[in-house]
């Protein structure tokens, strides 16, 4: 089919169900490296890595080669078959991960990987209650959506019973931050006291992102994961870490949990695992897998253990390790962070800059004292950035007014400089007008 010309017309757009607000006007026809291209040939820097997934940029030649080979040779199978690419993928992941994370369930999406994790935890513990952060995002499917609090909760009836919230340790916004001193431990203890009061005594799991992304790029304080694991163990719960966005080098370590050395009972990977292609995995220990299997565990999906995406996953692992992309994310992330902090000095609308590696957040506020989110201005800034040639994403779904800055890990310093110049110009134009 020929590409249309110019922006998407209203009638063209009206063909597609609006699954998350309105669509952008741009007609994107091509993508390569850190750029996407519209039908007028304009280059736009992709600083959201597509939907926070494409860590290798677009059209990475080695990924292209794997897809071309596999689609012709061994694409999709009955889910009862295993194939060599799937075994190689499970081996590659287990080798990259610490002991205790060595049984891999290959799936397609992040929501699915979390559904599987929650089902595993419930099967293993015999409980059903799940604890999640009050700014979380784990997906839009039943169990994952019930444990998602940063958006999408209203308008479609009850969610699963038994999901309890823990306050997100949000240093910038927490009421436990008084005069710049954040007492996260008191907030944490307070949160667990409330959970224990609400629980019916059948706690199964706590599920968290090591850095909350959709919730506004919120890093957990040092020591938090250790404390969380302790609370989970005391109550016989499993700790599930959702590294959809933080896994595969993005935050400066291969996995964000490595920073504190807390090995979860279950790890879920998606988005970055397929570097833009639909691939996810739920990973746990042999003991948990064997117990679940003995109890008749079932999570049978059409694309479980498909060879084509598995081969892509192995190649992503290989490239991330071989090209030391975690180190690259750390170095370039430090540079990008310093550039964003510099912008903060010059633009009072920037209330906070935070994050780790190449997963950074810039929070816009109407007033630095009251910290009122400046969402409307943020949307205008985001729109202007797009016109000027950079896709920088403002957290629309969660109404947070936080730009999530997450370029592919192959981004260059020059591309970072260009994005910063565009952001600077857009902030200057939109805030004064
Ligand atoms: C941390 C996290 N987990 C899970 C998901 C859901 O993934 P998917 O949209 O592939 O189902 C997302 C999506 O934004 C996410 O950010």
């Amino acid at each position: 089919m020929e590409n249309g010309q110019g922006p998407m017309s209203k009638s063209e757009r009206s063909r597609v169900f609006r699954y998350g607000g309105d669509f952008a006007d741009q007609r994107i026809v091509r993508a390569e490296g850190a750029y996407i291209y519209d039908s007028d040939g304009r280059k736009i820097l992709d600083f959201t890595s597509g939907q926070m997934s494409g860590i290798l940029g677009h059209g990475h030649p080695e990924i292209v080669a794997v897809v071309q080979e596999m689609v012709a040779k061994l694409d999709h199978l009955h889910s009862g078959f295993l194939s060599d690419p799937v075994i190689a993928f499970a081996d590659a992941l287990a080798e990259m991960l610490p002991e205790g994370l060595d049984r891999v369930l290959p799936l397609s999406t992040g929501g699915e990987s979390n559904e599987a994790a929650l089902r595993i935890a419930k099967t293993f513990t015999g409980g059903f209650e799940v604890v999640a952060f009050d700014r979380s995002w784990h997906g839009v499917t039943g169990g994952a959506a019930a444990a998602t609090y940063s958006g999408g909760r209203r308008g479609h009836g009850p969610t699963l019973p038994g999901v309890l919230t823990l306050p997100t340790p949000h240093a910038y916004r927490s009421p436990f931050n008084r005069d710049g001193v954040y007492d996260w431990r008191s907030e944490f203890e307070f949160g667990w006291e409330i959970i224990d009061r609400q629980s019916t005594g059948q706690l199964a799991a706590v599920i968290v992102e090591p850095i909350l992304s959709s919730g506004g790029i919120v890093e957990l304080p040092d020591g938090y994961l250790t404390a969380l694991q302790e609370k989970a163990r005391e109550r016989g719960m499993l700790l599930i870490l959702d590294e959809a966005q933080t896994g595969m080098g993005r935050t400066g370590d291969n996995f964000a949990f490595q920073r504190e050395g807390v090995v979860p009972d279950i790890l879920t990977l998606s988005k970055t695992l397929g570097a833009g292609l639909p691939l996810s995995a739920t990973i746990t220990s042999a003991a948990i897998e064997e117990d679940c299997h003995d109890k008749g565990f079932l999570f049978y999906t059409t694309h479980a253990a498909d060879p084509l995406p598995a081969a892509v996953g192995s190649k992503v692992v290989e490239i991330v390790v071989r090209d030391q992309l975690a180190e690259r994310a750390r170095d370039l992330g430090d540079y990008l962070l310093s550039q964003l902090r510099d912008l903060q000095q010059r633009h009072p609308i920037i209330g906070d800059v935070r994050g780790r590696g190449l997963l950074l957040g810039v929070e816009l506020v109407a007033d630095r004292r009251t910290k009122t989110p400046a969402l409307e201005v943020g949307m205008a800034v985001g729109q202007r950035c797009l016109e000027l040639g950079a896709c920088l994403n403002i957290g629309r779904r969660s109404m947070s007014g936080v730009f999530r800055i997450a370029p592919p890990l192959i981004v260059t310093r020059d591309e970072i400089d260009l994005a910063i110049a565009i952001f600077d110009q857009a902030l200057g134009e939109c805030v004064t007008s």
Side-chain angles (χ1 to χ4, degrees):
M1 190 192 136
E2 284 294 302
N3 287 322
Q5 283 300 313
M8 281 284 169
S9 70
K10 208 170 163 192
S11 76
E12 283 174 306
R13 273 185 284 174
S14 71
R15 282 277 171 224
V16 181
F17 195 105
R18 285 165 287 186
Y19 47 78
D22 289 324
F23 296 110
D25 295 335
Q26 283 73 15
R27 182 190 303 275
I28 304 303
V29 295
R30 193 166 76 79
E32 190 181 340
Y35 288 92
I36 54 177
Y37 294 79
D38 73 9
S39 55
D40 299 325
R42 270 175 8 100
K43 286 170 83 162
I44 301 169
L45 267 176
D46 184 0
F47 265 46
T48 62
S49 298
Q51 190 58 40
M52 310 295 276
S53 304
I55 50 170
L56 306 181
H58 298 278
H60 190 289
E62 290 174 80
I63 300 294
V64 172
V66 169
V67 172
Q68 283 176 338
E69 184 198 339
M70 293 302 294
V71 79
K73 192 170 109 186
L74 187 59
D75 51 358
H76 157 80
L77 292 173
H78 181 277
S79 304
F81 285 119
L82 286 180
S83 56
D84 288 347
V86 170
I87 303 301
F89 170 58
D91 280 347
L93 269 184
E95 202 167 302
M96 201 181 182
L97 286 163
E99 208 178 314
L101 292 173
D102 27 41
R103 293 285 164 105
V104 178
L105 167 51
L107 296 163
S108 310
T109 67
E112 262 184 352
S113 68
N114 289 326
E115 293 297 337
L118 292 168
R119 195 178 284 196
I120 289 168
K122 290 174 190 181
T123 305
F124 181 74
T125 62
F128 74 98
E129 290 173 317
V130 172
V131 172
F133 280 141
D134 61 3
R135 289 175 187 259
S136 55
W137 187 286
H138 297 296
V140 296
T141 52
T148 289
Y149 288 92
S150 71
R153 288 191 76 80
R154 301 213 166 94
H156 36 82
T159 60
L160 283 188
V163 185
L164 310 171
T165 58
L166 183 62
T168 302
H170 197 325
Y172 185 63
R173 294 204 165 271
S174 169
F176 285 77
N177 185 342
R178 297 221 176 81
D179 304 323
V181 180
Y182 178 33
D183 182 7
W184 68 263
R185 284 191 189 273
S186 293
E187 183 180 49
F188 181 74
E189 292 300 332
F190 172 70
W192 279 98
E193 203 181 303
I194 292 175
I195 287 164
D196 287 337
R197 279 178 206 281
Q198 292 176 87
S199 170
T200 59
Q202 294 174 84
L203 290 162
V206 51
I207 180 168
V208 299
E209 302 158 71
I211 298 177
L212 287 89
S213 178
S214 301
I217 310 292
V218 182
E219 259 196 280
L220 306 186
D222 278 348
Y224 195 97
L225 276 181
T226 307
L228 193 62
Q229 186 167 55
E230 230 172 85
K231 291 283 183 205
R233 284 195 176 149
E234 279 165 17
R235 289 159 181 75
M237 308 165 80
L238 299 191
L239 173 63
I240 303 171
L241 291 186
D242 176 355
E243 295 228 26
Q245 299 204 18
T246 54
M248 312 310 289
R250 157 89 53 215
T251 67
D253 294 292
N254 282 340
F255 303 97
F257 72 77
Q258 290 173 317
R259 164 69 74 96
E260 208 171 303
V262 170
V263 179
D265 300 296
I266 307 178
L267 174 70
T268 61
L269 302 173
S270 52
K271 291 184 182 281
T272 56
L273 182 61
L277 287 152
L279 174 66
S280 65
T282 305
I283 306 148
T284 190
S285 66
I288 292 174
E289 194 269 348
E290 271 155 31
D291 180 81
C292 288
H293 177 70
D294 290 347
K295 290 173 178 163
F297 183 81
L298 181 92
F299 199 87
Y300 211 82
T301 72
T302 304
H303 296 291
D306 262 355
L308 190 158
V312 169
S314 295
K315 187 53 82 176
V316 173
V317 170
E318 181 190 324
I319 295 170
V320 167
V321 173
R322 181 196 68 203
D323 296 351
Q324 303 184 341
L325 293 186
E327 286 83 345
R328 188 179 167 84
R330 197 178 311 153
D331 293 347
L332 288 172
D334 286 348
Y335 176 66
L336 179 52
L337 188 69
S338 71
Q339 299 301 100
L340 292 170
R341 293 233 156 101
D342 188 49
L343 286 188
Q344 187 182 16
Q345 300 288 318
R346 289 184 286 111
H347 295 282
I349 193 163
I350 299 182
D352 196 27
V353 175
R354 52 183 182 253
R356 214 155 84 203
L358 284 173
L359 184 61
L360 300 174
V362 175
E363 177 150 5
L364 302 193
V365 290
D367 176 328
R368 282 191 182 172
R369 195 182 45 83
T370 61
K371 300 182 180 173
T372 310
L375 184 62
E376 289 301 315
V377 183
M379 303 278 275
V381 172
Q383 181 56 32
R384 187 66 187 130
C385 285
L386 209 48
E387 290 161 10
L388 292 169
C391 178
L392 302 180
N393 179 278
I394 184 118
R396 243 184 344 164
R397 288 181 312 199
S398 55
M399 308 301 282
S400 61
V402 180
F403 277 94
R404 293 188 293 165
I405 317 266
L409 311 188
I410 49 97
V411 74
T412 63
R413 261 183 191 240
D414 285 350
E415 287 161 349
I416 288 177
D417 289 340
L418 178 58
I420 290 288
I422 289 173
F423 199 21
D424 193 11
Q425 181 181 340
L427 283 163
E429 288 178 11
C430 298
V431 177
T432 50
S433 62

